[in-house]
Amino acid sequence: MLGLAGELGAAALMLKSTVFWFFKSRLEVRETMKQSVKIGVDSIGVTALTSFFTGMVLALQTGATSKNLFNEPLYIGTLVAFSMVKELGPVLTSIVVAGRAGAVVTAEIGTMRVTEQIDALYTLGTHPARYLLVPRYIAFLVTLPLLVVLANFIGTIGGFIVATTRLQVPSTVYWNDIFTFMDINDFMHGFIKTFAFAFMIATVSCHKGMTTRGGAEGVGKSTTEAVVTSMVLVMVIDYFISAVLVALGI
Amino acid sequence: MIEIKNLSKNFPGRDVLRDLSCRIEDGDTFSVIGPSGTGKSTFIKCIMRLLKPDSGRILVDGEDIAALDDEFEIARIRRNFGYLFQEGALFDSLTVFENVSFGLRYLTDIPREDYGRIVADKLALVGLEKVEHLKPAELSVGMKKRVALARAVAAGPKCILYDEPTTGLDPVTTEMVTDLIVSASEKLKVTSILVTHDVNLALRISTQVAMLDKGVFAAVEPPDRFVKSENPAIKEFLEISNAGHNGCGDHGGRPGHAGYKGPGGRNGRH
Ligand SMILES: Nc1ncnc2c1ncn2[C@@H]1O[C@H](COP(=O)(O)OP(=O)(O)O)[C@@H](O)[C@H]1O
Ligand SMILES: [Mg+2]
């Protein structure tokens, strides 16, 4: 196994050649489409389900606490929407995508590595960065933000359903609580983080795939490593970027 | 012409190739034999520059490719070569058609409309038809190898590198692939470099046979002289492989089969 410094070095080199081929060659449109479907479209269902229940439980818990403290459910919409847009939408969606799509990417590239398909790309006149990595980076960077927007929306709807049916919050109050307090910066906060997560998940999954060794067993090992690394890094990166953004007032 | 001078390649904790030299003329069929794990694949991967040699020179038509670092330069050199991987290395997310036409997109200016005809031609060459729409997972081992061969020759390389072309194939397919290597070399005048532990194959179709032993070539000889070699490593390997008697003769000898001239006959050409 490579040491941490070795891993970072190898990932940096991979990134460099991905950027190089992104600018130097025509985009593999078909591959990019295929990957966008695999990474993005195929994650819609699980993202929707996760965010729907997250929104519902947020409303339920704040409703209960608020009733205890103030005897009535206050600012449910505000809390649900802010939590979704700034934290839970980006973080939960990224974790779901890291587990689903990140695993697919690592397993696929890892299998290609151990069966010499990566070498075959070189012999047939192309480069793995051009044919495999650029399309996957683009797919992650384009589809993850869209999934997060979807998650934010569905989570807020989930909160709305619980707030209006179980907590008897009038629907105009729920929406007013959201639109009175939320501005574009709150969206930007979540959006900036989402791009960072997408970039990180693409890098980790592709890097673990490209450096796979040792047959089918090696593929399993690097897939697990990729998923665990991505999930932990989502949390770590989330804290640090949030801290910076908060300091900047975004 | 490919000239290799003092080629060395090590992996961590293991010297695989040490100071290896040879010279392969245009149109030659050059075979490297040796037991598994001696570095045969490493040798042709260095020629294809899938691996970077640690030292030594690989001159392809006079240009040293061993030290090249620039990806575009290396890619330009690779255009001369077709490469058959030991396990085929077909892209399993693509169909047979997409696999065989893959190199056409990147290595040639052939218009897309012609791909269908070219792919069908190349597949016919390896005895396959109507398999274009299948995925590699739907093919037998022998069929995969033949599709891989069709893919390797599709863009019309000047030199073909074969890694264990007949390993794992049934006798009939072995004959077919052997035919193919011979006809590529004779009709298309390509240079063939093949690495194999199938001594009989090497002796039947090569103009030069080299024995890779402990990181160097123990001998580089035409087949008729190779079998008479006094080198103990070669003698032992030939004995174990039970070659040299049937290998030089009319091996297999399926009646009506488009046979080969013996090694002597082929040598006579040079
Ligand atoms: N990428 C690699 N990293 C480390 N060792 C390798 C690598 N590739 C091959 N080897 C080692 O080099 C030796 C020669 O391998 P190879 O060229 O595949 O042999 P052959 O094709 O003759 O069976 C083997 O011992 C193998 O373990
Ligand atoms: Mg080998």
Side-chain angles (χ1 to χ4, degrees):
Chain A
M1 213 41 253
L2 305 161
L4 181 62
E7 291 245 15
L8 288 175
L13 281 180
M14 180 195 79
L15 191 59
K16 188 179 136 199
S17 89
T18 306
V19 172
F20 174 83
W21 284 99
F22 175 73
F23 288 110
K24 261 296 202 301
S25 61
R26 239 189 21 246
L27 181 65
E28 297 281 348
V29 178
R30 237 181 62 131
E31 257 317 279
T32 308
M33 289 303 188
K34 235 166 135 178
Q35 293 307 321
S36 302
V37 170
K38 255 196 217 168
I39 291 166
V41 178
D42 291 353
S43 301
I44 288 177
V46 59
T47 300
L49 206 63
T50 320
S51 51
F52 186 63
F53 279 95
T54 306
M56 292 209 297
V57 81
L58 276 176
L60 191 74
Q61 296 284 21
T62 25
T65 310
S66 175
K67 271 184 170 164
N68 275 345
L69 294 176
F70 311 113
N71 260 332
E72 58 175 324
L74 291 176
Y75 300 120
I76 306 296
T78 319
L79 195 122
V80 170
F82 269 72
S83 308
M84 286 309 299
V85 167
K86 296 183 88 165
E87 282 300 329
L88 296 174
V91 168
L92 290 180
T93 309
S94 297
I95 285 182
V96 163
V97 168
R100 239 203 101 268
V104 172
V105 165
T106 305
E108 194 177 2
I109 296 182
T111 304
M112 291 186 73
R113 169 59 84 193
V114 301
T115 57
E116 297 187 311
Q117 292 175 54
I118 303 274
D119 282 336
L121 288 172
Y122 287 111
T123 70
L124 295 167
T126 185
H127 191 282
R130 171 182 178 187
Y131 189 77
L132 300 174
L133 305 186
V134 170
R136 283 163 178 78
Y137 266 90
I138 293 178
F140 274 113
L141 286 167
V142 170
T143 62
L144 189 61
L146 293 175
L147 286 170
V148 168
V149 170
L150 177 80
N152 292 343
F153 178 72
I154 291 183
T156 312
I157 298 288
F160 174 80
I161 290 171
V162 170
T164 50
T165 59
R166 292 194 55 148
L167 304 169
Q168 277 77 46
V169 176
S171 66
T172 46
V173 172
Y174 184 86
W175 294 117
N176 266 337
D177 283 350
I178 295 176
F179 293 117
T180 316
F181 297 104
M182 187 163 288
D183 66 25
I184 189 74
N185 268 353
D186 301 312
F187 270 107
M188 287 315 292
H189 185 104
F191 219 60
I192 291 169
K193 290 201 290 197
T194 305
F195 274 107
F197 297 155
F199 187 77
M200 181 277 294
I201 295 170
T203 304
V204 169
S205 323
C206 290
H207 166 71
K208 286 290 179 189
M210 292 296 285
T211 53
T212 299
R213 295 274 177 278
E217 192 191 352
V219 174
K221 192 163 157 280
S222 49
T223 305
T224 310
E225 282 176 11
V227 171
V228 171
T229 308
S230 291
M231 287 184 176
V232 171
L233 282 182
V234 165
M235 299 305 188
V236 175
I237 293 176
D238 183 47
Y239 176 77
F240 286 105
I241 299 186
S242 298
V244 171
L245 292 178
V246 167
L248 292 173
I250 296 173
Chain B
M1 192 186 69
I2 299 168
E3 206 175 353
I4 293 169
K5 290 179 179 169
N6 309 101
L7 179 69
S8 299
K9 176 71 191 171
N10 311 317
F11 292 113
R14 226 201 107 123
D15 290 359
V16 180
L17 304 177
R18 294 178 307 173
D19 244 6
L20 185 148
S21 300
C22 65
R23 188 189 161 99
I24 303 163
E25 302 289 342
D26 287 343
D28 265 6
T29 299
F30 184 93
S31 293
V32 177
I33 62 172
S36 288
T38 44
K40 301 186 300 297
S41 299
T42 305
F43 171 69
I44 54 171
K45 280 184 182 164
C46 285
I47 298 180
M48 193 69 181
R49 275 307 309 273
L50 294 171
L51 292 173
K52 186 167 195 246
D54 295 326
S55 64
R57 308 203 305 154
I58 302 173
L59 301 169
V60 176
D61 295 330
E63 183 182 357
D64 185 10
I65 64 164
L68 289 180
D69 268 321
D70 183 89
E71 262 306 322
F72 283 104
E73 289 289 296
I74 298 172
R76 179 174 57 77
I77 297 296
R78 286 196 191 111
R79 281 169 185 268
N80 296 314
F81 298 100
Y83 195 107
L84 176 69
F85 286 89
Q86 195 166 341
E87 317 277 344
L90 294 177
F91 302 123
D92 33 43
S93 64
L94 303 181
T95 63
V96 168
F97 177 87
E98 290 165 327
N99 265 285
V100 177
S101 62
F102 197 93
L104 300 176
R105 281 175 61 198
Y106 298 101
L107 298 169
T108 71
D109 298 323
I110 296 167
R112 210 163 268 264
E113 308 87 80
D114 296 348
Y115 287 8
R117 180 181 49 79
I118 294 172
V119 170
D121 275 2
K122 301 298 172 191
L123 287 174
L125 212 61
V126 294
L128 294 172
E129 55 176 27
K130 304 209 169 57
V131 293
E132 279 94 334
H133 60 284
L134 298 176
K135 287 279 181 74
E138 298 168 277
L139 304 175
S140 71
V141 175
M143 286 164 91
K144 276 186 201 164
K145 197 99 175 206
R146 286 187 280 165
V147 172
L149 190 49
R151 183 178 75 175
V153 302
K158 279 196 287 186
C159 174
I160 306 176
L161 308 171
Y162 302 91
D163 195 347
E164 309 272 5
T166 58
T167 304
L169 300 183
D170 62 82
V172 175
T173 315
T174 300
E175 285 301 310
M176 184 177 277
V177 169
T178 310
D179 265 348
L180 207 86
I181 298 171
V182 172
S183 74
S185 139
E186 287 183 347
K187 290 195 198 120
L188 309 174
K189 305 279 178 235
V190 301
T191 308
S192 312
I193 302 176
L194 67 130
V195 305
T196 179
H197 56 243
D198 182 349
V199 181
N200 292 320
L201 172 76
L203 293 176
R204 276 166 78 196
I205 68 173
S206 309
T207 51
Q208 299 282 325
V209 182
M211 165 90 187
L212 183 59
D213 180 45
K214 301 190 187 72
V216 292
F217 284 147
V220 183
E221 301 271 17
D224 50 350
R225 279 210 299 240
F226 186 86
V227 294
K228 297 193 194 100
S229 170
E230 290 301 315
N231 183 302
I234 296 177
K235 272 182 130 168
E236 192 192 335
F237 194 68
L238 290 178
E239 243 159 61
I240 292 169
S241 313
N242 186 29
H245 332 286
N246 54 1
C248 268
D250 186 10
H251 174 70
R254 291 198 295 129
H257 179 69
Y260 316 108
K261 295 161 249 150
R266 267 176 67 73
N267 284 334
R269 215 165 48 117
H270 289 262

